[in-house]
Amino acid sequence: MQLVIVESPAKAKTIEKYLGPGFKVLASFGHIRDLPPKDGSVRPDEDFAMDWELYGDKQSRVKAIVDEAKHADRLILATDPDREGEAISWHVKEYLGKRKALPKDVQRVTFNAITKATVTEAMRHPRELDQDLIDAYLARRALDYLFGFTLSPVLWRKLPGAKSAGRVQSVALRLIVEREREIEAFRSQEYWSVIARLEQRGTEFAARLVRFDGEKLEKLSLGDEGAAMKAKAVVEAATFRVEEVETKPTRRHPQPPFTTSTLQQEAARKLGFSASHTMRVAQTLYEAGAITYMRTDGVQMDPSAISAARAAISDRYNGHYLPEKPRHYETKAKNAQEAHEAIRPTDFGRDRYGTGDEGRLYDLVWKRALASQMASANIERTTVTLREGTGKHELRATGQVIKFPGFLAVYEEGRDQVASAEDDESGLLPAMEKGDTPGKRGVDAAQHFTQPPPRYSEASLVKRLEELGIGRPSTYAATLQVLKDRAYVRTEKNRFFAEESGRLLTAFLERFFERYVAYQFTAGMEDELDDVSGGRAVWKDVLRAFWRDFKPKSDEVMDKKPSEVTAELDVFLQDYLFPPQADGADPRVCPKCGVGRLSLRGGRYGAFVACSNYPECKFTRKFAQPGGAGEGGAGEDEGLGTDPVTGLDVFRRTGRFGPYVQLGEGKEAKRASIPKDIGELDLEWALKLLGLPREVGVHPESGKNITASIGRYGPYLAHDGKYARLRSTAEVFETGMNAAVVKLAEAASGAGARGSRTAAEPLKLFGAHPTTGGEIKLLAGRYGAYVTDGTTNATLPKDKQAETLTAAEAIALIDERAAKAPAKGKKKPPAKKAPAKKAAPKAKAAEAGEGTPAKKVAAKKAPAKKPAAKKPAAAKAKAN
């Protein structure tokens, strides 16, 4: 029997069908081992020795592989064709060797697509494991571990509120923060444009004023309304004749097929997908055999695929759409070993596959790959110059005509920023000749303001990271997700905003670890890792060079007192925290007492700005409120006004659990938390919050009150012990009787027999389960987080955090839980009868997983003999 190891059960099922009898295909469900999340897992003093441990949820999966390997004649490691795939195969081989279950014949097989022809052909050409790729994996994993586990303790002790920092993650965060700084420093400028609306032979077109009083107009030349109106009057009074008509033919060439990075960018622009969602959907398409491997930085296609694409073009279009020769693209990847084939459909004859997001992403991949082999588009650009009699004033009209669409008939690449109307050249111009005098329909003077650089979207951030050579495209989705999960950034309308904690962390790293968040340094590290995977560098030499400088720097910062760190950050951030005042006043003078000096402080709940006259003056403001007057810092006491009903003062304050509003003083004062979706808090909003719960009215059927309020899990409606979730704080105050009755009815019907709660919002979505087809969701339950496919629920192990859960791990948990469930129609055996035999040995107790019944029985038998009393403790220790 030949044992084949792949990553996912869907992939295993498909490949086993292709290979037929004599082959057993098992899934490892991704990586089986990792570095234990504790100090000492990588030991630089022992020549970078590394400890590995099995993932807690992989015990049963790995046991199945070990059991099969003991009886296998040959082991075929067929994991993904990249560095991570090579690493998974290496881990499986190493672990089987330690368990003395490794067959004598071990080979590595890779394929770029899961089709029968590709898989069977790959099986004919096995190879050895690529040690260079394995070394590159070890170097990257050790490097990231040493960076995180050395720097994070420094953050915890010296920067209140900081959670952790990663090597690539910190640089991506710096990009977002720097863009925020650019936006804040930007000063908008006014400018005007003058556009004449002209007509030639019944066709209207627009012409821009580009020269006025003999001077060429730049973008900001007409800087105020007065200058614009003067120019407008001149254009209205003058007669303009056509002086030049320039027609210039140009060609647009198609883009290459998708790489991981360009797929993420285009899916974000055109489909609105996040990078992580794009990769999940692409993984599903790959495992279904619809597309080739989706983690790649290569842009070339296999010759057979190019032939198939050209055949598909010939079938759908006439001969003009097919270039004489196939198009060949060259990869920009520095490491040729990791530059695999581009992402493309496995069958160009199939222009549709799947439904929903899978169908939309497949359509994008198919069109891009097909267009890459099509003819160029022929475009004719026309520029018409019009002057009045003196030659001092000049108008210009531009337009373009697509003479032959070529690849544009199938696909056009999206853009991050849509061109403004004033730069639009896509319009069609009427035929004109020198000497023509187009009729004038009107003249418009439009006011504009320069715009700051846009905040990064996922597409533009991924593009920028790739341009800088930071990280690798296959890691971008996980990197961006970590920034969101740790609340260093937030996204609004698909744009990244730096949060207070992210901004402070970036300032800390720039001040104390400047080298390690420098773009050139991080990109240089990627080059060194590429050299390792290319066999041009020794991985431990790379680690030694990094550790030699990084460790002393970390120790130096760790030796500083927290107050010293805060003082240095106070100076480093003074331009942001204390910007110059318009009246020239000292920005550090306390606005409350007028005597104390403002400075940055570190508190239990993060950084804030406070007055030096504390405790006499208790003025504070948030770190994220530069130059503002008391806007909610730790321990803040800001008055919002007086309640007109009670006459009591209303305050905005910040406590242990965040900002809140308070009515009056003392223990009996009424308080209410401030929801995050309230924009600008004022007295009116504060009184609304303090007045909750709000009575919506009397339910027409029960005669009992319906109320709206905000609870621990957000805004909701309540009626007779039943609840319905609301989407926003605004709905708490806007929902009327009819809408409330409908929402409560929907919530009751949606919750089934329990009926008192609405369906929980998923914490994360993982796509369809490869076997059951149900959508896999991560939900917050009463007893902790769990995953479900709609049929089977599986609780997350204690050692697994919800934010780091992967799709493969979610599938494994569900499959494992489903395997333990009794068959339909059979009653589950009573828990008491399971251990009625002999007391389970220690090893059996350790393998019990959840282990609750085994522990209970062992505890009952413990009094019989003294040695037996030790068994529950041992079993419990191993189970935990």
Side-chain angles (χ1 to χ4, degrees):
M1 186 268 291
Q2 301 185 60
L3 176 62
V4 182
I5 304 298
V6 296
E7 292 93 343
S8 74
K11 191 173 174 182
K13 185 177 180 181
T14 304
I15 292 173
E16 189 166 82
K17 179 178 65 177
Y18 292 156
L19 297 179
F23 289 88
K24 178 69 175 177
V25 186
L26 293 179
S28 68
F29 290 82
H31 276 283
I32 63 169
R33 302 192 302 181
D34 195 13
L35 297 169
K38 61 183 180 181
D39 287 336
S41 295
V42 178
R43 297 183 295 282
D45 295 339
E46 298 177 29
D47 198 26
F48 297 96
M50 303 167 74
D51 292 333
W52 303 96
E53 69 174 10
L54 285 178
Y55 283 110
D57 58 345
K58 298 291 177 71
Q59 299 283 349
S60 61
R61 300 296 172 187
V62 174
K63 184 179 183 301
I65 292 173
V66 172
D67 291 344
E68 290 290 345
K70 288 178 179 178
H71 307 292
D73 303 315
R74 180 187 180 205
L75 174 65
I76 302 171
L77 300 166
T79 49
D80 288 340
D82 59 4
R83 185 185 60 245
E84 289 301 309
E86 209 74 17
I88 292 171
S89 289
W90 175 78
H91 276 298
V92 171
K93 181 182 177 183
E94 288 284 302
Y95 185 76
L96 291 177
K98 289 186 177 182
R99 293 293 302 269
K100 302 188 184 311
L102 188 67
K104 291 183 179 180
D105 188 5
V106 180
Q107 293 179 323
R108 174 82 165 107
V109 166
T110 59
F111 35 81
N112 197 44
I114 305 176
T115 62
K116 186 171 184 178
T118 306
V119 171
T120 51
E121 178 63 21
M123 288 293 177
R124 298 191 193 104
H125 301 91
R127 61 170 172 82
E128 298 295 320
L129 282 170
D130 189 325
Q131 191 59 48
D132 290 335
L133 285 183
I134 295 167
D135 288 348
Y137 160 78
L138 294 173
R140 185 180 294 273
R141 190 67 194 90
L143 189 65
D144 290 340
Y145 174 91
L146 291 173
F147 189 96
F149 272 82
T150 304
L151 185 55
S152 293
V154 178
L155 294 175
W156 301 334
R157 290 171 175 81
K158 310 302 176 185
L159 194 69
K163 298 176 182 177
S164 64
R167 185 176 59 89
V168 177
Q169 159 208 324
S170 298
V171 181
L173 177 60
R174 183 184 180 185
L175 280 170
I176 296 170
V177 170
E178 284 191 342
R179 179 55 55 88
E180 204 74 34
R181 292 171 184 163
E182 291 175 32
I183 293 171
E184 290 167 355
F186 181 82
R187 296 295 176 263
S188 183
Q189 289 182 268
E190 178 186 8
Y191 70 97
W192 290 70
S193 62
V194 175
I195 308 292
R197 289 178 279 110
L198 306 177
E199 180 184 7
Q200 176 76 2
R201 295 174 187 152
T203 301
E204 288 195 15
F205 65 97
R208 175 185 300 277
L209 181 66
V210 295
R211 184 177 292 275
F212 180 63
D213 278 342
E215 298 291 332
K216 182 181 178 182
L217 293 182
E218 304 294 344
K219 184 174 183 178
L220 303 178
S221 295
L222 301 178
D224 56 55
E225 185 176 10
M229 291 304 139
K230 181 181 176 183
K232 177 185 176 185
V234 169
V235 174
E236 287 175 330
T239 299
F240 288 85
R241 289 182 175 80
V242 175
E243 293 294 335
E244 299 173 14
V245 178
E246 182 184 6
T247 300
K248 184 178 179 182
T250 60
R251 304 186 79 189
R252 275 186 63 186
H253 305 297
Q255 295 292 320
F258 283 128
T259 62
T260 302
S261 170
T262 54
L263 177 64
Q264 291 173 3
Q265 293 173 44
E266 198 72 339
R269 296 185 194 109
K270 290 191 171 182
L271 306 180
F273 290 0
S274 67
S276 56
H277 184 63
T278 297
M279 296 310 290
R280 280 198 299 271
V281 177
Q283 178 85 32
T284 304
L285 291 172
Y286 165 67
E287 291 179 352
I291 65 172
T292 55
Y293 191 54
M294 68 291 165
R295 291 186 177 89
T296 174
D297 46 18
V299 291
Q300 69 276 9
M301 289 200 300
D302 184 81
S304 62
I306 292 176
S307 298
R310 288 173 63 84
I313 295 167
S314 297
D315 291 343
R316 289 170 170 77
Y317 302 95
N318 63 43
H320 296 294
Y321 287 84
L322 188 66
E324 290 184 9
K325 296 180 180 180
R327 293 187 182 276
H328 294 281
Y329 299 92
E330 291 187 4
T331 180
K332 295 179 182 179
K334 297 177 182 178
N335 190 337
Q337 280 191 314
E338 291 189 328
H340 303 294
E341 190 180 358
I343 304 169
R344 62 167 176 84
T346 55
D347 180 3
F348 278 96
R350 182 169 55 190
D351 58 0
R352 286 186 177 82
Y353 181 88
T355 58
D357 287 352
E358 289 178 24
R360 296 167 70 199
L361 191 66
Y362 179 83
D363 181 66
L364 206 62
V365 171
W366 183 85
K367 287 180 176 178
R368 173 83 166 222
L370 191 74
S372 73
Q373 288 300 318
M374 293 180 71
S376 301
N378 293 331
I379 299 170
E380 188 177 83
R381 284 195 172 89
T382 302
T383 303
V384 179
T385 302
L386 305 96
R387 297 190 186 97
E388 52 78 60
T390 66
K392 291 183 177 181
H393 315 300
E394 185 178 299
L395 299 175
R396 184 174 297 154
T398 56
Q400 69 177 29
V401 177
I402 297 176
K403 292 293 187 179
F404 172 67
F407 75 93
L408 293 176
V410 174
Y411 182 85
E412 182 170 8
E413 188 177 30
R415 291 185 290 176
D416 291 321
Q417 291 298 112
V418 178
S420 63
E422 61 191 83
D423 298 324
D424 188 16
E425 296 183 356
S426 61
L428 181 66
L429 294 178
M432 287 181 276
E433 297 178 355
K434 184 176 181 179
D436 285 348
T437 308
K440 197 180 298 174
R441 293 300 178 203
V443 180
D444 301 316
Q447 183 186 38
H448 310 278
F449 292 92
T450 55
Q451 298 298 312
R455 288 182 172 87
Y456 284 110
S457 63
E458 283 212 359
S460 58
L461 184 57
V462 164
K463 184 178 181 181
R464 185 62 179 145
L465 287 168
E466 189 175 36
E467 288 172 349
L468 292 170
I470 294 169
R472 281 294 171 260
S474 59
T475 66
Y476 291 154
T479 297
L480 300 187
Q481 191 60 48
V482 168
L483 292 179
K484 297 176 190 176
D485 292 343
R486 291 176 181 167
Y488 290 146
V489 300
R490 70 180 190 278
T491 53
E492 293 180 11
K493 297 181 180 178
N494 295 324
R495 295 284 170 177
F496 283 108
F497 288 73
E499 292 284 23
E500 174 185 341
S501 56
R503 187 152 194 164
L504 186 60
L505 172 60
T506 297
F508 176 86
L509 294 175
E510 287 178 321
R511 172 61 186 85
F512 298 105
F513 293 90
E514 182 180 11
R515 179 188 180 196
Y516 301 99
V517 289
Y519 304 136
Q520 297 86 347
F521 174 82
T522 309
M525 288 300 304
E526 293 298 338
D527 290 341
E528 291 186 49
L529 292 170
D530 283 349
D531 286 341
V532 173
S533 60
R536 299 180 295 275
V538 178
W539 70 280
K540 290 186 179 180
D541 290 346
V542 172
L543 292 179
R544 288 188 194 98
F546 168 78
W547 190 246
R548 184 171 54 245
D549 298 324
F550 183 70
K551 183 62 167 68
K553 184 63 178 176
S554 301
D555 292 342
E556 175 192 329
V557 180
M558 184 65 91
D559 289 340
K560 289 180 178 289
K561 296 179 181 178
S563 58
E564 293 175 336
V565 171
T566 304
E568 291 191 46
L569 287 176
D570 178 78
V571 175
F572 185 78
L573 290 165
Q574 65 180 0
D575 290 340
Y576 167 66
L577 295 174
F578 312 107
Q581 301 294 304
D583 59 2
D586 186 349
R588 283 187 180 262
V589 173
C590 177
K592 188 171 185 179
C593 69
V595 178
R597 302 278 295 169
L598 300 181
S599 61
L600 184 68
R601 302 285 180 85
R604 184 177 178 185
Y605 305 111
F608 62 98
V609 173
C611 177
S612 59
N613 275 349
Y614 181 86
E616 287 76 15
C617 177
K618 296 182 179 180
F619 174 84
T620 61
R621 72 164 186 253
K622 275 187 178 181
F623 166 82
Q625 298 289 335
E631 286 292 326
E636 179 178 343
D637 186 353
E638 181 204 351
L640 295 174
T642 304
D643 179 10
V645 177
T646 63
L648 297 174
D649 291 332
V650 180
F651 302 95
R652 183 194 193 283
R653 292 178 173 170
T654 298
R656 180 178 180 184
F657 302 106
Y660 64 93
V661 289
Q662 179 174 313
L663 178 64
E665 294 285 5
K667 292 182 179 180
E668 303 302 319
K670 189 169 185 179
R671 299 173 179 85
S673 295
I674 302 173
K676 291 183 178 180
D677 60 349
I678 290 182
E680 186 176 343
L681 183 76
D682 54 16
L683 179 62
E684 182 182 358
W685 261 115
L687 292 174
K688 281 183 178 182
L689 295 172
L690 290 164
L692 293 177
R694 163 184 167 252
E695 289 192 6
V696 179
V698 177
H699 196 288
E701 296 178 5
S702 68
K704 296 182 179 180
N705 273 340
I706 301 174
T707 60
S709 192
I710 301 172
R712 182 179 180 185
Y713 302 106
Y716 67 93
L717 292 168
H719 164 253
D720 194 22
K722 295 181 174 61
Y723 304 90
R725 179 175 292 175
L726 296 175
R727 289 176 296 181
S728 66
T729 301
E731 285 194 357
V732 173
F733 304 100
E734 295 170 359
T735 301
M737 174 59 71
N738 292 338
V741 171
V742 170
K743 286 179 182 292
L744 286 163
E746 289 176 347
S749 62
R754 295 180 184 178
S756 60
R757 295 187 181 184
T758 57
E761 290 291 330
L763 302 175
K764 195 182 289 188
L765 297 174
F766 295 105
H769 190 285
T771 304
T772 68
E775 185 173 32
I776 302 174
K777 301 176 183 178
L778 174 65
L779 300 171
R782 184 177 179 185
Y783 302 106
Y786 67 97
V787 288
T788 180
D789 64 348
T791 303
T792 303
N793 298 343
T795 304
L796 265 63
K798 291 181 180 179
D799 61 348
K800 187 65 187 173
Q801 294 186 350
E803 58 267 21
T804 62
L805 187 73
T806 65
E809 291 169 341
I811 294 170
L813 288 171
I814 291 171
D815 290 349
E816 189 172 348
R817 185 69 186 89
K820 292 180 180 178
K824 289 184 178 179
K826 292 184 179 181
K827 291 184 179 180
K828 188 176 181 180
K832 298 178 185 176
K833 295 182 180 179
K837 302 174 184 178
K838 295 180 181 180
K842 293 181 181 180
K844 294 288 184 184
E847 291 173 6
E850 294 175 302
T852 306
K855 290 181 198 173
K856 286 185 178 179
V857 173
K860 288 180 181 178
K861 294 202 171 195
K865 292 181 181 180
K866 286 187 178 181
K870 294 179 182 178
K871 288 184 179 180
K876 189 173 182 179
K878 290 188 177 183
N880 290 334

